[in-house]
Amino acid sequence: MSAPGSRVARLSWRDRRLHRHDARGLRLTLVAAATVLVLAPFTLTLLVLASWSPLRRLDQAVTEALVGYGSQHPAWARALNVWTDVFGPMPLRLGALVLVGWLARHQARQLALWVAVTMTVGGLLGPLLKLLVGRPRPEVPLTQAVGLAFPSGHALNAALAAGVLLVVFRPRAGRYAKRCAVWAAALLLAVVTGFSRVALGVHWSSDVLAGWLLGAAVVAATAAGFTVWRAPPPQRSTPAQRSTASKR
């Protein structure tokens, strides 16, 4: 029976899986989470390619309702159009570029590299999926939009930017109220941007959902790689330490 003084506190399952010094548990947890998130948008892609009737009916009903409301309330449509222009893909990419420079200047080069990689990977996957799926946009938009529909580039880039906000600024927020403000800003950016694309009639609801899921998957996958990259290697005990431990 071990002495009370030699008893070692046991970590919970959650702590073992997420502890940054336990490289094996951390890698397994992050890879599993990233895999689930990556599979979600591609599952939705298969449903769109198969023209799954329940999803098609839902898309049609949501678009008709929101576009009908917007056509009857021009001020509402104009406000959404301003939002979708201000928080479009190009402004968000320019903002990310400024953030990369700011992080590099403050000696956070690894984090700056992660932001650049995340926005670049997401920016390349979106157009590639558009070409592969080839889905047309709704026929009665309230504003002009070019290109294919699936996934929504606005929703994808908004989700990427929201993930960047959380990863970069939440740990720096400090107080609980500031952390909540970061979460609120990230959610507002992603949700309102995606909603505006459906309400303006330039995307189906499943286009926006796919953009959100793909953005979350890219953030999760790159954050997983970044976290594992930063995690220190497990420390191996020296023969002297093992000998001391065996004598206790």
Side-chain angles (χ1 to χ4, degrees):
M1 191 174 185
S2 60
S6 63
R7 185 174 298 170
V8 179
R10 296 190 174 211
L11 294 174
S12 67
W13 180 89
R14 175 181 176 274
D15 291 335
R16 291 198 307 272
R17 296 282 71 80
L18 299 178
H19 201 289
R20 69 188 302 267
H21 295 290
D22 184 0
R24 183 183 177 188
L26 183 65
R27 287 189 178 94
L28 288 174
T29 303
L30 292 175
V31 168
T35 300
V36 171
L37 285 172
V38 167
L39 287 176
F42 288 101
T43 301
L44 183 56
T45 302
L46 292 177
L47 293 177
V48 170
L49 286 172
S51 193
W52 191 45
S53 57
L55 181 62
R56 190 175 64 251
R57 289 195 298 269
L58 177 63
D59 280 338
Q60 192 71 37
V62 171
T63 297
E64 289 178 356
L66 292 179
V67 172
Y69 182 86
S71 62
Q72 296 173 6
H73 300 81
W76 166 255
R78 285 195 298 270
L80 291 179
N81 203 22
V82 170
W83 178 281
T84 200
D85 287 340
V86 172
F87 297 103
M90 286 308 299
L92 292 179
R93 289 166 188 162
L94 289 175
L97 185 61
V98 173
L99 179 60
V100 167
W102 180 79
L103 289 171
R105 185 177 179 182
H106 286 77
Q107 306 302 316
R109 292 185 176 87
Q110 289 182 335
L111 193 54
L113 179 61
W114 173 79
V115 173
V117 169
T118 299
M119 296 300 292
T120 302
V121 170
L124 293 174
L125 283 178
L128 178 61
L129 269 180
K130 283 179 182 286
L131 291 175
L132 290 176
V133 176
R135 190 187 202 185
R137 295 178 184 268
E139 297 178 354
V140 285
L142 299 178
T143 187
Q144 295 297 320
V146 296
L148 298 169
F150 185 94
S152 166
H154 280 71
L156 168 59
N157 282 274
L160 294 173
V164 167
L165 278 176
L166 291 174
V167 172
V168 174
F169 292 107
R170 185 184 176 278
R172 300 167 183 262
R175 293 183 179 180
Y176 176 76
K178 292 183 178 179
R179 294 198 300 271
C180 289
V182 173
W183 271 103
L187 291 174
L188 186 69
L189 172 62
V191 172
V192 176
T193 302
F195 172 82
S196 69
R197 303 307 284 170
V198 183
L200 290 172
V202 293
H203 278 291
W204 306 103
S205 55
S206 56
D207 300 337
V208 169
L209 179 58
W212 284 337
L213 290 173
L214 184 59
V218 171
V219 170
T222 56
F226 174 74
T227 303
V228 172
W229 178 34
R230 292 181 64 189
Q235 296 181 354
R236 296 182 178 180
S237 58
T238 63
Q241 290 173 330
R242 289 195 294 269
S243 176
T244 302
S246 63
K247 293 177 181 179
R248 290 179 181 175

